[in-house]
Amino acid sequence: MLVLAGRSLGPAGFGALSSLYLLVTSVATGLFTPLEQEVTRRRGVERSRHTWDRSLTRRALGHGQAAAGAALVLALAAYPLTVRVLGDQDWLVVSLCLALPGYAAWFEVRGELAGQGHLRRYGTQLVVDGASRMVGALALVLTGGESVATFGLLFGLSPWITLLLTLPGWRLAPEQRRAGPADPLARPLALLVLSALASQLLINAGPLVVNLLATDDERDLAGVYLAVLVVVRIPVFLFSAVQPGYLRSLAEYVGGGDRQAFDELVRRVLMTVAGVSAAVCLASTALAPPLVSWVFGFDQRLDRATCLLLTLAVGLFLVAVVLAQALLALGHHVWVTTGWLLGLAGLALGAAPDTGVVTRATLALLAGAAVATASLALLLRRERAQWAMIGPS
């Protein structure tokens, strides 16, 4: 969908759409991934203990819609800045207002599906969400209706289309479970929201930094930068196939006190992520600049050194995600938040040198990912030395 949009709109229009893409990705993922993670974690522990909290779905949905409403109020209150970030395209604000409540509901449902082990339906939801945007983009191109506003509308409608097409026929509550405790959600969700917002700001900060700091003559760089980031972030998209089962399994091992299985799973996933990231590093350094120019049709391109640093930063970010999920499964929400906030501090330090706008954004991303990875690794090592069976908190 982004390729079609980039070729249809050109660098400047694509830069505006890319900002919507990053806002939806960052804000929706930042606010609502905690719903998925916490519901997945709790349902995973319940699976190992054969219990069921009947109020969890209702409470999680309520938290999600409240968070979406608060985000929209802030976006509308800061309307001039919001429109500026969105490339001065007013209609993209409408798309943002449609997307956030839809993704709030969708991420909660994803948590239920992952926590109960319904990964086929979980995967179907991911396919429908992406396919709905892709089909819509093709329709716009074929009918001549492509514009920044119409492409942006696809982001607003896709979560609602996904829920409409994938929820019928799903039975929520499993049979033969005894009632479980309805532990409070507010504190762990608040910590996870802070963690998720920090992590999403970290991985998505590059194009936003370029948009905010670039002069009018450098505006096209935001679109080119995002196009490269889309290519080098392939490992992040691949990890979505691992994450739901990974967190649920870790939570089950914690609920059952199986330390050996916990350690083995973390080690296997870390090795896989490191291997894939190394391969993508080599491939992106050689292929990303000409590939982006050819696929997106842009005249400008980033150099190979920038592509290498971006891919390395993405790989470190993924390692940090794996470590953070392990800490979360152990119930250490505070340490997860601490690791990502330290990563943001590294991001700020990396952006401090007064260099070119692209170099500045790239070094910021690399420094932030490195600090987050090191911090979360040390925190996990500390907690692993103090292993204890921890249930929902």
Side-chain angles (χ1 to χ4, degrees):
M1 183 253 183
L2 290 173
V3 170
L4 288 173
R7 296 186 72 89
S8 300
L9 301 176
F14 185 72
L17 186 68
S18 72
S19 292
L20 174 68
Y21 169 74
L22 292 172
L23 276 178
V24 170
T25 301
S26 301
V27 177
T29 305
L31 289 179
F32 312 136
T33 294
L35 287 174
E36 177 182 347
Q37 292 176 334
E38 188 64 10
V39 171
T40 298
R41 186 182 76 85
R42 294 191 184 202
R43 294 304 191 202
V45 172
E46 288 175 352
R47 276 167 61 94
S48 69
R49 298 175 178 176
H50 303 287
T51 59
W52 182 259
D53 176 7
R54 296 184 179 277
S55 69
L56 180 59
T57 302
R58 172 181 51 79
R59 292 186 294 130
L61 283 172
H63 279 285
Q65 293 303 319
L72 292 178
V73 167
L74 288 176
L76 295 175
Y79 192 80
L81 178 60
T82 303
V83 174
R84 171 66 177 171
V85 169
L86 292 174
D88 297 318
Q89 298 285 336
D90 294 312
W91 277 101
L92 293 184
V93 179
V94 177
S95 299
L96 184 66
C97 292
L98 283 172
L100 293 186
Y103 279 117
W106 184 46
F107 273 85
E108 196 285 329
V109 171
R110 282 171 52 168
E112 298 283 355
L113 294 173
Q116 296 179 48
H118 299 317
L119 296 185
R120 178 175 296 179
R121 190 179 288 265
Y122 184 104
T124 301
Q125 287 204 333
L126 293 179
V127 171
V128 171
D129 182 59
S132 64
R133 289 194 297 269
M134 185 64 182
V135 171
L138 284 170
L140 290 176
V141 172
L142 292 175
T143 60
E146 65 267 38
S147 69
V148 175
T150 54
F151 275 115
L153 189 60
L154 298 177
F155 286 107
L157 295 178
S158 61
W160 299 106
I161 294 171
T162 301
L163 291 172
L164 180 66
L165 294 180
T166 59
L167 279 185
W170 173 46
R171 190 175 185 277
L172 174 63
E175 297 177 352
Q176 299 178 341
R177 295 278 189 93
R178 67 179 185 274
D183 297 294
L185 273 172
R187 182 176 180 273
L189 281 181
L191 288 169
L192 288 179
V193 165
L194 186 56
S195 301
L197 287 174
S199 66
Q200 287 304 304
L201 179 57
L202 179 61
I203 191 60
N204 290 314
L208 294 178
V209 169
V210 174
N211 252 341
L212 291 173
L213 299 182
T215 64
D216 290 339
D217 293 336
E218 297 173 320
R219 274 299 208 170
D220 288 355
L221 284 175
V224 177
Y225 195 92
L226 176 72
V228 172
L229 198 55
V230 167
V231 173
V232 303
R233 285 203 316 176
I234 289 173
V236 176
F237 302 138
L238 294 177
F239 187 69
S240 65
V242 178
Q243 186 169 351
Y246 173 63
L247 179 57
R248 187 206 72 229
S249 296
L250 289 180
E252 287 189 50
Y253 295 147
V254 172
D258 194 340
R259 173 176 174 172
Q260 183 176 355
F262 181 95
D263 289 345
E264 179 60 26
L265 180 56
V266 173
R267 184 163 45 248
R268 289 205 323 267
V269 173
L270 278 175
M271 290 177 63
T272 302
V273 166
V276 171
S277 297
V280 174
C281 245
L282 294 174
S284 69
T285 303
L287 302 176
L291 181 64
V292 167
S293 295
W294 175 67
V295 171
F296 287 86
F298 295 164
D299 293 328
Q300 292 178 293
R301 62 170 63 181
L302 301 185
D303 58 57
R304 284 187 167 84
T306 300
C307 294
L308 173 62
L309 293 177
L310 279 175
T311 313
L312 180 60
V314 169
L316 287 171
F317 174 82
L318 270 179
V319 172
V321 170
V322 173
L323 298 171
Q325 297 285 287
L327 277 168
L328 174 59
L330 287 167
H332 294 299
H333 300 71
V334 172
W335 292 141
V336 176
T337 305
T338 300
W340 288 120
L341 289 179
L342 289 173
L344 275 189
L347 176 77
L349 290 175
D354 189 12
T355 56
V357 66
V358 169
T359 302
R360 196 171 180 180
T362 304
L363 291 178
L365 176 58
L366 182 60
V371 171
T373 300
S375 302
L376 289 165
L378 291 173
L379 289 168
L380 180 60
R381 182 179 180 182
R382 174 184 182 276
E383 294 307 324
R384 278 289 296 103
Q386 303 175 6
W387 174 274
M389 190 178 74
I390 302 172
S393 59

